[in-house]
Amino acid sequence: MKKILLSLLLTFSVITNANYEADVDYVVFDKPVKTVTGDKVEVRELFWYYCPHCFDIEPLIKNWLKDMPSSAQFVRQPAVFSDRWISGAIFYYVLEQLGEVNRLHEVLFHAIHAEKEAFIGSEDFVEWLVEHGVDKAKAENAFKSFSVRVKVNQSKVNTKKYKGLNGVPAFVVAGKYLVDTKHAGSENRMFDVINYLIKKETKVE
């Protein structure tokens, strides 16, 4: 029994003290991008509602957030690589404007990928919001709002700032490090790398 416990402790020690290598497990940006989380280590998810891998990773994000280090703060950003990606960004910022991200973000992913909702125009999305308890006038006003247009344009600009980013899902830690499945090796391992980078960036008081 003692040998088993010792073996488990050693294994746990190796896992928790794992070192990850720059440009192997993650990418270091040549020029850091400004963050918005103050003293907290920003963990920014870049996603697209129509990306099946982003849909698949949602449960992992949900689980990770339950135990996210207290020194970190999670931020979502819809990526906009081209005009084809704009509608996804609009959907997110409309939800944000309505205060419905927490309630409907995951539900929207499910609608697109599991229920095959097309959302051909804004009317379709407004109708979907109404079906999920949102006031129609508020939904329509959110679509027309200046702040949503500004945030979509900011997403277009910000997506280009992350040099080396060419797909989603991806995470940017502290504005300095890009973590994706290509480098981390798997969706699960991405969160190990993220935790490692949070620890690396956490300021010791």
Side-chain angles (χ1 to χ4, degrees), residues 89-105:
I90 292 172
F91 293 166
Y92 178 76
Y93 289 120
V94 165
L95 290 183
E96 186 180 76
Q97 178 90 352
L98 294 167
E100 294 285 7
V101 170
N102 289 342
R103 186 170 75 93
L104 294 179
H105 176 69

Side-chain angles (χ1 to χ4, degrees), residues 68-193:
M68 180 180 69
S70 59
S71 60
Q73 185 173 331
F74 182 64
V75 177
R76 288 190 180 96
Q77 180 192 320
V80 182
F81 287 101
S82 68
D83 289 347
R84 180 168 165 256
W85 294 58
I86 289 176
S87 62
I90 292 172
F91 293 166
Y92 178 76
Y93 289 120
V94 165
L95 290 183
E96 186 180 76
Q97 178 90 352
L98 294 167
E100 294 285 7
V101 170
N102 289 342
R103 186 170 75 93
L104 294 179
H105 176 69
E106 191 174 0
V107 179
L108 177 54
F109 262 123
H110 191 270
I112 291 170
H113 296 280
E115 299 168 8
K116 306 302 179 186
E117 289 278 2
F119 297 124
I120 295 169
S122 61
E123 296 84 2
D124 288 348
F125 191 59
V126 166
E127 187 59 36
W128 181 84
L129 289 170
V130 171
E131 288 171 3
H132 287 80
V134 177
D135 179 79
K136 186 173 183 178
K138 288 182 179 179
E140 289 175 338
N141 288 336
F143 258 99
K144 298 171 187 174
S145 73
F146 177 72
S147 63
V148 166
R149 291 201 303 272
V150 167
K151 287 178 179 179
V152 170
N153 286 331
Q154 285 176 340
S155 271
K156 289 170 71 175
V157 172
N158 289 340
T159 300
K160 294 175 183 176
K161 288 181 181 178
Y162 301 113
K163 304 300 182 184
L165 173 70
N166 51 27
V168 291
F171 297 85
V172 176
V173 180
K176 299 177 182 179
Y177 314 106
L178 173 67
V179 182
D180 57 15
T181 52
K182 177 183 175 183
H183 293 88
S186 70
E187 291 176 348
N188 280 299
R189 195 167 180 269
M190 276 201 298
F191 295 95
D192 295 331
V193 177

Side-chain angles (χ1 to χ4, degrees), residues 36-37 40-47 57-58 60-62 64-66 68-77 92 101-102 105 170-173 191 194 198:
V36 298
T37 55
K40 296 277 189 177
V41 179
E42 182 183 280
V43 178
R44 182 175 293 260
E45 179 205 7
L46 291 114
F47 72 96
I57 207 173
E58 268 301 300
L60 298 180
I61 293 173
K62 223 172 155 183
W64 176 76
L65 285 172
K66 292 175 186 175
M68 180 180 69
S70 59
S71 60
Q73 185 173 331
F74 182 64
V75 177
R76 288 190 180 96
Q77 180 192 320
Y92 178 76
V101 170
N102 289 342
H105 176 69
F171 297 85
V172 176
V173 180
F191 295 95
I194 289 168
I198 290 171

